[in-house]
Amino acid sequence: MLTLLFSFLSSELTQFNTHCAGITTGISATDRAKTSVILANMDSKASDFHRPGHIFPLRAKENGVLTRDGHTEAAVDFARLAGSSPAGLLCEIVSEENPTEMARLPELKRFCRRRGYVLTSIADLQQYRRDTGQ
């Protein structure tokens, strides 16, 4: 689906979309969420989107984190393991301690502990995939 919608810049890293997509102006959280849902729908088509927008589609490498230990590949691997469409959404958490920066691992550990969230890593996902053959 995405190859029909967007052209990608190829590199050894994540393939980054040269165009961004939106459903209206795309700037609101609601528009970004709706755009993300439409992007994950395998039946979506180019006419479902307006350009420019504020969502930047990325393409994961074949075989996910076993090929490249990237966040894009991890997001798609988690979706596949959950039995969902092979699409994911990436975002960073802004630091509560330093709001002009992104939260780093020590702060993320505290963040997850306080909220009862599970924190995992790409290395954990790679090991799980190797152990289970998935």
Side-chain angles (χ1 to χ4, degrees):
M1 181 255 332
L2 286 178
T3 38
L4 300 175
L5 294 175
F6 307 105
S7 59
F8 288 86
L9 294 172
S10 293
S11 74
E12 291 180 16
L13 304 174
T14 301
Q15 288 186 329
F16 190 83
N17 186 3
T18 58
H19 298 283
C20 45
I23 55 166
T24 60
T25 64
I27 199 163
S28 73
T30 300
D31 280 357
R32 291 177 192 214
K34 287 178 181 176
T35 299
S36 298
V37 168
I38 295 168
L39 276 169
N41 180 344
M42 298 308 246
D43 295 324
S44 61
K45 50 196 176 308
S47 61
D48 294 333
F49 303 95
H50 298 275
R51 290 187 196 95
H54 295 273
I55 298 290
F56 297 86
L58 305 172
R59 179 174 292 158
K61 294 282 187 184
E62 190 86 22
N63 207 21
V65 296
L66 299 181
T67 300
R68 178 177 174 270
D69 59 350
H71 294 102
T72 303
E73 289 72 18
V76 171
D77 280 0
F78 276 123
R80 283 192 172 120
L81 288 169
S84 295
S85 176
L89 185 66
L90 303 175
C91 67
E92 286 192 82
I93 297 175
V94 175
S95 171
E96 292 175 333
E97 299 162 6
N98 262 320
T100 60
E101 299 177 7
M102 297 297 110
R104 298 292 171 227
L105 187 57
E107 184 178 358
L108 290 171
K109 287 179 178 180
R110 293 189 299 275
F111 179 90
C112 290
R113 197 170 29 255
R114 281 194 310 268
R115 289 164 178 82
Y117 295 160
V118 173
L119 181 67
T120 192
S121 68
I122 292 171
D124 290 340
L125 178 58
Q126 289 168 322
Q127 190 61 53
Y128 175 82
R129 288 204 49 210
R130 283 188 205 99
D131 290 349
T132 63
Q134 294 189 51

